[in-house]
Amino acid sequence: MKKALYILLFFQFSIFNFQLIFAQGDIHELRSGNRYYQRGKFDTAATHYRRILDVDSNDFAGQYNLGNALYRQGNYLEAANRYSKALTNRNLDDRQRVNTMHNMGNSFFKLAQSDNDQQTLKTAIECYKGALKVDPKNNDSRYNLAMAQRLLKKMQQQQQQNQQNQQQQQQQQQQQNKDQKKQDQKKQDQKKQQQQQQQQKGGDKDKDQQRKQQDSDQLNDQVKKELQRQKDKQKQNGQNQQNQDQKEQKNQQKKENQSDPNNQNNNQPQQQKEKSRSAGQKFDPTKQNAERMLEAVKNNERQTLKDQQKKAKVVGGKHIEKEW
């Protein structure tokens, strides 16, 4: 049986240390993987390490070196997973255990940096502490532990500052909302006051318009009554005038009958006159024409008198016409 051969490949980059170990197993695949690893061809190296694990999934060198290759490719989560599986090997010495814990701490450290995750960083710190428990003199783990603790403190301070800023922003936002609410309430009050003023003005205007309309209606009612009274008055005056004309006509006819020399009896009925005529009285056409002329003159005088009375009524009542 071949003796296990371990070759430590120690790389110093940034704050982290990596170790590459050869172990018992498929020596050919292991050496090929280490050569590609040293050339920086980490993807090809990982392929050879996986071939070792296909044969023996518990091979420490295969798991550990695959973790290193994945770490160098930036696959920190899978690298931490491979380191964790490497630790399950029951035949590890202190050196193997320390290096595995150290590199696993580096993987969690990188994850915490990229995600700004305090819990992941605390896991990295525990990995470094575990390495120091096995080897208290491991300066690389001690240095990385100090770096992780300082980063955790910085994250906590930043978180506290963010919380304070967030709280301050919330307070400012609440104050702004409060101020905005006051402004909105003030605007609403002003708008309501303006509406009330407008309604009051509109109400006063409506009341004034209503009062004017009432006054106009009252005046119109009064005018209608006066017009009806004038109409009734004119009708009554016309009736009186008609009665007066009839009376004057009767008087005039009576006077004519009294002044007629051929009329021997003023009270004799017209039928008797006609009868006398038909009995043989002589008919005088000259007298008849004179009577007709006299009657026409009297009618003309009466018509002139009526026209004068109408003109007197129109002049007495002054009429105003106005264009609107």
Side-chain angles (χ1 to χ4, degrees), residues 5 7 23 41 72 77 100 120 136 141 160-161 167 169 172 202 205 214 218 226-228 285 304 314 316:
L5 176 63
I7 300 176
K41 296 181 179 180
R72 296 301 294 268
L77 181 60
T100 303
T120 303
S141 296
Q160 184 178 4
Q161 183 65 36
Q167 184 177 4
Q169 289 177 358
Q172 291 177 353
K205 185 176 180 181
Q214 290 176 353
Q218 291 177 358
E226 179 62 23
L227 290 174
Q228 184 64 36
T304 302
V314 173

Side-chain angles (χ1 to χ4, degrees), residues 3 8-9 21 36 84 108 122 148 177 190 204 279:
K3 184 177 180 181
L8 177 62
L9 298 177
I21 298 176
Y36 284 111
S84 176
F108 286 120
K122 291 178 181 180
N177 295 337
Q190 291 177 352
D204 295 340

Side-chain angles (χ1 to χ4, degrees), residues 207-218:
K207 290 180 180 179
D208 183 64
Q209 185 67 24
Q210 186 178 4
R211 180 184 59 79
K212 290 180 180 179
Q213 185 64 39
Q214 290 176 353
D215 294 342
S216 178
D217 292 341
Q218 291 177 358

Side-chain angles (χ1 to χ4, degrees), residues 15-64:
I15 61 172
F16 307 110
N17 296 318
F18 271 86
Q19 298 170 345
L20 185 62
I21 298 176
F22 291 121
Q24 187 178 17
D26 192 337
I27 300 300
H28 176 72
E29 293 292 346
L30 187 60
R31 288 178 178 177
S32 297
N34 290 343
R35 282 196 301 268
Y36 284 111
Y37 186 94
Q38 291 172 358
R39 295 174 187 175
K41 296 181 179 180
F42 306 111
D43 187 25
T44 304
T47 300
H48 289 283
Y49 297 143
R50 284 192 174 93
R51 289 174 182 174
I52 297 174
L53 296 175
D54 289 339
V55 177
D56 184 6
S57 60
N58 293 323
D59 188 272
F60 171 78
Q63 295 287 4
Y64 178 83

Side-chain angles (χ1 to χ4, degrees), residues 43-182:
D43 187 25
T44 304
T47 300
H48 289 283
Y49 297 143
R50 284 192 174 93
R51 289 174 182 174
I52 297 174
L53 296 175
D54 289 339
V55 177
D56 184 6
S57 60
N58 293 323
D59 188 272
F60 171 78
Q63 295 287 4
Y64 178 83
N65 290 354
L66 179 59
N68 288 346
L70 292 170
Y71 181 94
R72 296 301 294 268
Q73 293 178 77
N75 192 347
Y76 305 118
L77 181 60
E78 184 60 25
N81 182 43
R82 292 299 174 176
Y83 293 137
S84 176
K85 290 182 178 181
L87 285 176
T88 60
N89 194 298
R90 301 298 181 183
N91 299 319
L92 300 182
D93 57 24
D94 291 346
R95 187 176 183 182
Q96 292 171 336
R97 197 177 301 278
V98 169
N99 290 339
T100 303
M101 291 181 178
H102 177 88
N103 288 356
M104 187 166 56
N106 290 348
S107 298
F108 286 120
F109 189 99
K110 283 290 188 178
L111 285 172
Q113 276 187 318
S114 61
D115 298 338
N116 195 29
D117 191 337
Q118 295 184 28
Q119 186 60 42
T120 303
L121 188 58
K122 291 178 181 180
T123 302
I125 290 173
E126 294 301 321
C127 291
Y128 295 137
K129 289 181 177 180
L132 289 173
K133 287 180 180 180
V134 177
D135 183 10
K137 296 181 179 180
N138 189 332
N139 294 327
D140 292 335
S141 296
R142 184 178 292 105
Y143 177 80
N144 288 1
L145 173 61
M147 289 292 294
Q149 290 174 338
R150 283 197 293 269
L151 180 59
L152 179 61
K153 185 177 180 179
K154 184 177 180 181
M155 285 183 177
Q156 292 172 345
Q157 291 175 349
Q158 185 65 39
Q159 182 182 13
Q160 184 178 4
Q161 183 65 36
N162 292 339
Q163 291 175 351
Q164 291 177 355
N165 293 338
Q166 184 178 4
Q167 184 177 4
Q168 185 177 2
Q169 289 177 358
Q170 290 177 352
Q171 291 176 353
Q172 291 177 353
Q173 185 65 36
Q174 290 176 356
Q175 185 64 34
Q176 290 177 359
N177 295 337
K178 187 176 180 179
D179 295 339
Q180 184 66 35
K181 187 176 181 180
K182 288 182 179 179

Side-chain angles (χ1 to χ4, degrees), residues 273 276-283:
K273 292 181 181 180
S276 299
R277 288 179 182 176
S278 62
Q281 289 185 356
K282 187 178 180 180
F283 177 71

